[in-house]
Amino acid sequence: MAVDYAVIVVYLAGMLGMGWWGMRRAKSKSEFLVAGRRLGPGMYSGTMAAIVLGGASTIGGVGLGYKHGLSGAWMVLTIGFGLLALSVLFSARIARLKVYTVSEMLDLRYGGRAGLISGLVMWAYTLMLAVTSTIAYATIFDVLFDVNRTVSIVLGGAIVVAYSTLGGMWSITLTDMVQFVVKTVGVLLILLPVAVVKAGGWSEMRAELPDEYFAPLGIGGETIFTYVLIYTFGMLIGQDIWQRVFTARSDKVARWGGTAAGTYCLVYAVAGAVIGTAAKVLYPNLTNPDDAFALIVKDELPMGARGLVLAAALAAVMSTSSGALIACATVANNDIWSKLRGLGSGAGTGTGGGTGAGGGADEPHDEVKGNRVFILAMGIAVIVIAIALNDVIQALTVAYNLLVGGLLVPILGGLLWKRGTVQGALAAVAVGGVAVIGLMASYGILATEAVYYGLLSSLAAYVAVSLLTRPTDEAILAHWRERLAGRGGDDGDGETGAAATAADPGAKTPV
């Protein structure tokens, strides 16, 4: 294992080196939180693919393939579909807003009164996503170094917290690009062909396994529908995903780079399911399907290649963990702490006369220092919770149910329906959130009814209350249209183009 250890140590040292290099570039709030909004198509698509394909998509995707065959690809396929939908339908508009958080977008659209409650929901989601990603280090480091769970979590978590705190989104972008390459080589180019060959080839796999292992819908229609509701819709509204959209150099980069990343996810989904199916032939009696990935790597790959593939698994976990961590810290600082202190994030005043989200000049030293402190604080909290928490599936399910049940409707409604009002948005968040919590208490945390009926109740509340209340002030909508058109907001260097809007908030702007 000495060669494999060397590969992993070089990889981890490289991640820390990227963090140090990124620190030299992150001189303003825009550079620290959204990489200066300067990523081109190659780097954008690679880093977007890296963040959405985490440990669940890699280790869990192989486990689903082991359990269900080719239809085990559906979980990761729905993630890819969500990213494709986001990129084609919404990413251009999102990128042009020039904001930092989803809640700032809600403040812009509805007039400055929806951000705090949505920020709390989004913070809980990103925190749990970071926690569950951090817990996954325990599995990987146990295979690598045979260390206990707590040491594994602290070791993996400390590396991610270190490079994220040092350079913010620049460090995370650089490390994610490396992680994307490592995952592509390790999983698609090494593990996939080796697994199929070791299992005797495709014909032998067909002969050894029952036909349902090769049925496209073998996992079940209800399960696929639930994946669509949770993962496809979750991709449309998660802060961790939107924050990557904000890094795009232009709306075209966001659209086409995201489309490339979504297509890559579809390929990755099928690869994971095929690897899991091959593992079923090699290890037919595993009690835990998620062990399939580690076993096939440990037993079937030569030294060096084994280290690279384990580094690929580590890369998958780190990319999701770091993306969730910076998203959690950004929401905590910009949407919760600054509002509670009465400072606000400049996300609109409720009258249309403010500078808008992200308006106001960057203060390079203070802004970067403040966000760096929040990443460090959230990172420590994530490590502590990860050590204490046992049932990660339930924690992540609660987070996703609250996210989709509470925030999907007001976010998409704000983008698609002019008649939606702030009262309707707040009602949708409150009713959807309460319904999800109540249904999870009644049916169980893992029951699908919570997200089904929570989403429907949120939609009903949004439409009904919006129609019963006064339409959103035209000055707010005019400012919103300005931002959707790419006029106003932080341009990446701390300057804002919102001065004209602030001076004449009632100015009419073509849709």
Side-chain angles (χ1 to χ4, degrees):
M1 291 288 287
V3 175
D4 299 318
Y5 290 158
V7 171
I8 298 297
V9 169
V10 169
Y11 167 77
L12 294 176
M15 296 300 99
L16 291 174
M18 292 288 185
W20 183 261
W21 191 87
M23 182 177 68
R24 300 172 60 188
R25 299 200 62 169
K27 301 299 184 182
S28 71
K29 177 181 178 181
S30 176
E31 290 175 331
F32 191 81
L33 294 182
V34 290
R37 307 187 196 276
R38 289 190 297 211
L39 298 192
M43 186 164 282
Y44 177 86
S45 59
T47 57
M48 181 63 87
I51 188 175
V52 300
L53 296 173
S57 300
T58 304
I59 299 171
V62 171
L64 286 172
Y66 182 91
K67 187 175 181 181
H68 300 286
L70 298 186
S71 66
W74 273 105
M75 184 188 77
V76 185
L77 285 174
T78 56
I79 291 173
F81 293 149
L83 185 52
L84 287 170
L86 175 70
S87 302
V88 173
L89 301 176
F90 302 111
S91 64
R93 279 178 281 180
I94 293 169
R96 287 196 295 265
L97 287 173
K98 299 292 178 67
V99 295
Y100 291 105
T101 68
V102 175
S103 297
E104 287 181 9
M105 168 265 169
L106 292 173
D107 275 345
L108 272 173
R109 169 59 181 82
Y110 295 112
R113 288 176 286 169
L116 181 58
I117 186 171
S118 63
L120 289 169
V121 175
M122 190 64 74
W123 175 77
Y125 157 72
T126 53
L127 180 69
M128 284 299 101
L129 184 60
V131 167
T132 53
S133 300
T134 302
I135 290 173
Y137 296 127
T139 301
I140 299 171
F141 280 107
D142 178 57
V143 173
L144 285 173
F145 305 118
D146 193 25
V147 295
N148 67 45
R149 181 179 183 273
T150 299
V151 174
S152 298
I153 290 171
V154 171
L155 176 60
I159 292 171
V160 169
V161 171
Y163 72 69
S164 300
T165 302
L166 285 172
M169 186 58 83
W170 268 124
S171 294
I172 292 171
T173 296
L174 295 169
T175 55
D176 277 359
M177 198 62 202
V178 173
Q179 289 159 358
F180 169 74
V181 173
V182 171
K183 280 193 288 191
T184 300
V185 174
V187 175
L188 298 185
L189 302 184
I190 295 178
L191 186 58
L192 174 61
V194 168
V196 172
V197 169
K198 292 289 185 177
W202 192 254
S203 58
E204 182 66 21
M205 291 163 61
R206 290 297 303 260
E208 289 287 330
L209 298 173
D211 290 341
E212 55 262 31
Y213 263 72
F214 302 90
L217 304 179
I219 199 170
E222 183 179 353
T223 299
I224 295 170
F225 183 63
T226 302
Y227 285 158
V228 170
L229 281 182
I230 294 177
Y231 297 113
T232 300
F233 287 158
M235 287 293 107
L236 297 179
I237 59 175
Q239 169 67 25
D240 51 325
I241 310 303
W242 276 42
Q243 198 155 344
R244 294 310 173 98
V245 176
F246 301 151
T247 66
R249 185 171 61 204
S250 66
D251 54 4
K252 289 183 179 179
V253 169
R255 181 184 293 116
W256 296 112
T259 300
T263 304
Y264 178 89
C265 290
L266 304 184
V267 175
Y268 201 87
V270 175
V274 171
I275 293 168
T277 304
K280 182 67 176 178
V281 175
L282 295 169
Y283 312 101
N285 300 313
L286 294 181
T287 55
N288 182 6
D290 286 344
D291 291 339
F293 180 90
L295 275 175
I296 201 168
V297 171
K298 207 172 183 180
D299 295 345
E300 308 300 337
L301 294 182
M303 69 175 182
R306 183 170 48 212
L308 184 59
V309 174
L310 287 173
L314 195 57
V317 175
M318 282 187 162
S319 57
T320 301
S321 180
S322 59
L325 176 59
I326 194 171
C328 178
T330 303
V331 170
N333 189 14
N334 289 266
D335 295 334
I336 300 174
W337 177 244
S338 62
K339 284 184 171 62
L340 292 176
R341 293 181 61 196
L343 300 177
S345 58
T349 64
T351 64
T355 60
D362 268 344
E363 300 173 19
H365 299 293
D366 291 343
E367 292 280 6
V368 171
K369 181 180 178 181
N371 283 289
R372 189 171 277 142
V373 167
F374 266 86
I375 291 180
L376 179 60
M378 291 298 103
I380 293 171
V382 163
I383 292 172
V384 171
I385 295 170
I387 292 170
L389 195 65
N390 288 319
D391 199 331
V392 297
I393 298 300
Q394 291 196 4
L396 194 58
T397 300
V398 170
Y400 264 107
N401 284 352
L402 284 173
L403 177 71
V404 174
L407 292 183
L408 179 70
V409 169
I411 292 172
L412 295 190
L415 290 169
L416 299 174
W417 191 37
K418 178 181 177 181
R419 187 61 181 81
T421 66
V422 65
Q423 294 87 352
L426 292 172
V429 175
V431 172
V434 170
V436 163
I437 293 171
L439 288 164
M440 285 191 295
S442 300
Y443 289 95
I445 288 177
L446 300 180
T448 56
E449 287 85 356
V451 70
Y452 292 168
Y453 298 119
L455 190 55
L456 288 174
S457 63
S458 179
L459 177 62
Y462 181 71
V463 173
V465 174
S466 292
L467 292 175
L468 291 171
T469 52
R470 292 180 59 186
T472 304
D473 187 90
E474 182 57 32
I476 294 172
L477 291 178
H479 187 204
W480 168 251
R481 290 193 292 268
E482 283 275 354
R483 297 294 286 270
L484 279 179
R487 295 186 289 273
D490 178 7
D491 65 2
D493 297 314
E495 300 295 331
T496 66
T501 305
D504 184 12
K508 298 291 188 281
T509 309
V511 177

